[in-house]
């Protein structure tokens, strides 16, 4: 369906997930052992709570990790010779990946796979393998990482959203995190990938936030990570709209209760078309729980 060349940037060690790591990709690239030992070190450090495995939800393996741990892991990547992309799938994307092996591989091959929606956390619980950190919203991960980057003067490029939004988000982030270095911004409605990649590489950021919506951002990151000179690239959906002040997050009590999706639906009723799949997602989970049958295509 998609012609994306996907390279593995993370090594998955003894995971509970049924999604298989693409070790052939690693073998082709030098430094696999080094990467493996780096991931081992990080996982060992986070091990008390990370449990060294991914939790499978309908074919996608999620890192069993809290928001703070995910941000620390990402920050440590900046000081290593690793390079990863980060995905933040919600139930809609998992549902899409069920019938799309390319997308599923792209998700599973990410260096960090964070459970963005309450539906993923509930799904993991229904399958008898609860995620210790519950859900890890992409935007919370981003904020936590930005705080760390600001302290050490790391640089960021913002890609995505409508023209003007990324620049505005950059200004607001600079005001909020004075130590943060914003080296560039570009909107997400481009047609020439190569020109965008050149612009990003020319700006030499440590981190790229790719906020192009799903699954566009996941496909774009996997297809371009090889030629991007960044340490970390994170797909963060509508986060730039929030950073720019053009969209609001749900009140904190709704976030805590896991009703952020309801608030977004209220603000953007057109999302109902996408959410209509959620009951199917739950039904498939129930089916898997009762009969243990995998319902995704291989
Ligand atoms: N977007 C973009 N390029 C596109 C399509 C979408 O930059 O070709 C942006 C859009 O303007 C919005 C974000 O991607 O800022 C999508 O936000 P949403 O919350 O819908 O993300 P999702 O839930 O799909 O991850």
């Amino acid at each position: 369906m998609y012609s994306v060349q996907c390279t593995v940037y993370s090594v998955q060690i003894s995971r509970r997930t049924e999604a298989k790591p693409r070790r052939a990709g690693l073998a082709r690239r030098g430094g696999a052992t080094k990467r493996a030992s780096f991931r081992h070190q990080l996982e060992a450090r986070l091990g008390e709570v990370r449990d060294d495995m991914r939790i499978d939800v309908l074919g996608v393996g999620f890192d069993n990790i809290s928001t703070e741990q995910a941000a620390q892991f990402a920050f440590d990547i900046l000081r290593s010779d690793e390079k990863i992309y980060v995905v933040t799938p919600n139930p809609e994307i998992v549902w899409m990946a069920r019938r799309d092996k390319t997308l599923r591989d792209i998700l599973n091959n990410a260096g960090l796979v964070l459970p963005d929606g309450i539906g993923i956390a509930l799904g993991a619980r229904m399958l008898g393998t609860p995620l210790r950190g519950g859900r890890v919203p992409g935007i919370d991960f981003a904020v936590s990482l930005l705080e760390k980057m600001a302290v050490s003067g790391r640089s960021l490029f913002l890609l995505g959203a409508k023209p003007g939004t990324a620049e505005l988000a950059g200004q607001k982030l600079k005001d909020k995190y004075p130590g943060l270095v914003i080296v560039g911004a570009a909107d997400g409605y481009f047609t020439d990938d190569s020109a965008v990649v050149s612009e990003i590489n020319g700006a030499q950021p440590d981190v790229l936030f790719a906020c192009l919506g799903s699954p566009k951002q996941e496909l774009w990151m996997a297809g371009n990570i090889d030629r991007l000179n960044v340490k970390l690239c994170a797909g963060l959906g509508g986060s730039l709209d929030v950073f720019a002040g053009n969209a609001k997050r749900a009140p904190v009590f709704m976030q805590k209760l896991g009703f952020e999706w309801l608030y977004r639906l209220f603000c953007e009723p057109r999302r109902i078309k996408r959410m209509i799949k959620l009951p199917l997602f739950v039904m498939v989970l129930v089916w898997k729980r009762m009969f243990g049958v995998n319902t995704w295509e291989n």
Side-chain angles (χ1 to χ4, degrees), residues 12-294:
Q12 299 167 7
I13 309 155
S14 65
R15 299 194 181 285
R16 198 185 296 174
T17 177
E18 290 160 62
K20 295 185 186 70
R22 295 170 70 187
R23 293 190 180 277
L26 268 175
R28 273 204 316 274
R29 299 178 62 83
T33 316
K34 205 170 176 186
R35 262 193 290 280
S37 68
F38 175 78
R39 180 129 186 151
H40 258 305
Q41 279 169 24
L42 287 183
E43 291 198 351
R45 189 141 54 77
L46 298 172
E48 297 154 35
V49 281
R50 186 184 164 90
D51 207 17
D52 275 2
M53 63 180 130
R54 281 184 173 173
I55 300 291
D56 184 277
V57 178
L58 303 186
V60 176
F62 286 88
D63 280 298
N64 197 7
I65 195 170
S66 70
T67 304
E68 173 53 30
Q69 288 170 331
Q72 186 60 48
F73 185 97
F75 187 64
D76 287 344
I77 294 284
L78 305 187
R79 295 179 291 190
S80 75
D81 56 0
E82 287 252 327
K83 177 185 192 178
I84 65 164
Y85 63 89
V86 179
V87 294
T88 57
N90 60 19
E92 295 159 41
I93 309 308
V94 172
W95 183 258
M96 238 183 263
R98 223 179 121 242
R99 298 238 179 267
D100 184 340
K101 182 162 171 8
T102 304
L103 178 58
R104 204 161 65 236
D105 284 345
I106 286 172
L107 297 177
N108 285 320
N109 289 335
L112 271 176
V113 186
L114 304 177
D116 186 72
I118 185 73
I120 301 294
L122 290 177
R125 188 175 290 273
M126 274 173 74
L127 294 172
T129 49
L131 287 154
R132 294 184 187 197
R135 74 189 185 116
V136 179
I139 192 162
D140 288 349
F141 161 76
V143 165
S144 195
L145 178 59
L146 287 173
E147 284 165 359
K148 295 180 198 311
M149 288 172 64
V151 171
S152 57
R154 294 286 177 165
S155 59
L156 175 69
F157 192 105
L158 302 171
L159 174 68
K162 299 206 171 105
T165 304
E167 287 80 1
L168 183 57
Q171 278 165 20
K172 297 227 165 145
L173 288 175
K174 256 197 281 191
D175 292 345
K176 192 159 181 199
Y177 306 104
L180 187 66
V181 184
I182 309 279
V183 290
D187 71 78
Y189 294 86
F190 52 88
T191 48
D192 184 352
D193 273 10
S194 298
V196 173
V197 169
S198 296
E199 189 182 342
I200 295 165
N201 286 344
Q204 299 186 317
D206 295 310
V207 174
L208 169 67
F209 284 176
C211 305
L212 308 171
S214 291
K216 183 173 175 179
Q217 63 198 15
E218 288 78 14
L219 298 169
W220 191 86
M221 288 192 297
N224 290 289
I225 187 86
D226 268 342
R227 52 185 185 152
L228 281 166
N229 294 332
V230 299
K231 304 295 300 171
L232 183 133
C233 180
L236 297 169
S239 298
L240 291 184
D241 297 310
V242 176
F243 290 143
N246 296 343
K248 274 207 163 86
R249 286 191 76 184
V252 174
F253 81 91
M254 283 186 97
Q255 290 177 32
K256 284 195 174 148
L257 289 174
F259 284 115
E260 196 158 13
W261 61 273
L262 191 60
Y263 182 84
R264 289 198 77 184
L265 183 60
F266 179 71
C267 297
E268 300 170 63
R270 64 188 162 81
R271 292 183 82 90
I272 190 76
K273 270 192 251 156
R274 296 165 51 168
M275 290 188 173
I276 220 93
K277 309 241 173 61
L278 294 185
L280 294 171
F281 175 80
V282 173
M283 273 166 57
V284 169
L285 280 172
V286 171
W287 185 266
K288 169 133 171 68
R289 169 78 196 196
M290 286 171 70
F291 304 112
V293 180
N294 293 340

